Amino acid sequence: MSVVTSPYVTIERSLAARGCSDVVPFYDLAESLRGQHPLANGWFADPFTAADRREIEGVHAGWDDDVSRAHHLQFIAWRRLREEWTFEHAPVSTERYFIPEVVEGLCDREIFLDGGAHHGAVSLAFAARSAGLRVIAVEPDAANRAVLADRLRGLPRAAVLDCALAAEDGTAAFSEGYGFASKLSAFGQAQVSVRSIDSLGVEPTFIKLHLEGGELDALRGARETLHAQRPIVTATVYHNADGLWRTAGWLMRELDDYRFLFRNHCWCGTGAIVYAIPRERRQ
């Protein structure tokens, strides 16, 4: 959507100058159809409680750099106020998952757990950066998984898993056939197997989670793996209000001696990712 790869205010003003009187972001419009479609990028944050404010302040203080603090504020301002804040020294980054702080810590023979692999674009991008990479790609949507398996066929150390990631093993309702928006959902008509990362029997050195809102549950199911393997973790946080503080706060409490970064990779409060990088990865 061009509206999230460019500043919204610029587009809004341009359309208003042409006589358009009712201009809204696409994802805000899609939000009105939440009960009919699983896409969940246009949510509004409820008024903050005193507890919310304390938690947000704690997470804000826990970021490793001022760019993260600026991006976190930008994210909050859009989600709570629908105001587009910008900061001169903290531009929206186009390097999703591979920001410089991550790249500098990569080594050969990484074991990459791609949670919510979709069609494998991130796995393939990772393969271009890490010699001897092993990929474990998790994708519960059948149509996505068929494309994924075909695209990863050329990677000699790739496995594709037919399940969704969650806090515990079991089965769950799943909204299937929606492309990148397919996800675990209470109104999903399909039933899929769900697994915790701890139960997969893998030893990832890098975990990427893009689960349309299920990231925090997947992390809760990865506690033993995180402590034992100390992987780099990247998790999208823009699909629900967990992104305001819960996901980052959980990681900050669980992971010792890590750097925590927040980056917006799109506008309108989308493309937001929390990065957790072990300090020993710093070169």
Side-chain angles (χ1 to χ4, degrees), residues 173-187:
F174 185 76
S175 291
E176 190 170 48
Y178 292 95
F180 68 84
S182 296
K183 66 176 184 178
L184 294 174
S185 169
F187 64 84

Side-chain angles (χ1 to χ4, degrees), residues 10-235:
T10 304
I11 297 172
E12 182 184 42
R13 288 173 179 168
S14 175
L15 292 173
R18 298 181 186 186
C20 298
S21 59
D22 192 6
V23 181
V24 296
F26 168 78
Y27 285 134
D28 285 15
L29 180 64
E31 186 69 8
S32 67
L33 302 174
R34 175 77 75 90
Q36 303 172 46
H37 193 285
L39 186 64
N41 288 358
W43 54 274
F44 288 74
D46 292 330
F48 297 150
T49 65
D52 286 330
R53 290 193 292 271
R54 287 194 299 271
E55 296 286 356
I56 289 171
E57 288 172 1
V59 166
H60 197 69
W63 298 125
D64 194 65
D65 61 12
D66 287 339
V67 173
S68 294
R69 281 180 270 276
H71 279 221
H72 191 204
L73 287 174
Q74 184 183 45
F75 178 79
I76 292 169
W78 182 266
R79 292 301 181 180
R80 179 68 193 95
L81 306 173
R82 280 303 190 268
E83 293 182 3
E84 190 168 78
W85 293 9
T86 58
F87 297 86
E88 181 180 357
H89 299 295
V92 169
S93 168
T94 60
E95 300 168 314
R96 189 183 296 214
Y97 300 115
F98 300 107
I99 61 175
E101 294 84 355
V102 166
V103 172
E104 73 176 3
L106 295 181
C107 59
D108 290 340
R109 308 192 71 80
E110 297 275 6
I111 301 173
F112 180 51
L113 178 60
D114 190 351
H118 189 232
H119 291 169
V122 180
S123 286
L124 291 170
F126 204 134
R129 295 173 180 270
S130 176
L133 176 72
R134 180 186 175 199
V135 172
I136 303 108
V138 180
E139 178 51 59
D141 184 279
N144 288 343
R145 194 169 58 254
V147 176
L148 172 68
D150 185 62
R151 294 189 70 189
L152 297 190
R153 202 177 306 279
L155 297 183
R157 305 182 70 215
V160 176
L161 304 185
D162 175 8
C163 63
L165 297 177
E168 299 176 346
D169 290 0
T171 59
F174 185 76
S175 291
E176 190 170 48
Y178 292 95
F180 68 84
S182 296
K183 66 176 184 178
L184 294 174
S185 169
F187 64 84
Q189 295 183 338
Q191 289 286 317
V192 298
S193 170
V194 296
R195 299 285 302 277
S196 71
I197 290 174
D198 286 342
S199 75
L200 292 179
V202 297
E203 299 179 344
T205 62
F206 193 122
I207 296 175
K208 165 256 179 183
L209 299 174
H210 187 167
L211 306 177
E212 301 297 310
E215 294 81 8
L216 182 53
D217 270 351
L219 288 168
R220 287 170 173 152
R223 183 179 277 108
E224 293 178 8
T225 301
L226 294 173
H227 291 169
Q229 304 303 322
R230 292 186 59 80
I232 294 174
V233 178
T234 67

Side-chain angles (χ1 to χ4, degrees), residues 256-272:
D256 293 331
D257 208 22
Y258 266 67
R259 304 167 63 199
F260 300 99
L261 305 169
F262 189 102
R263 293 291 185 269
N264 291 310
H265 297 290
C266 293
W267 298 84
C268 292
T270 65

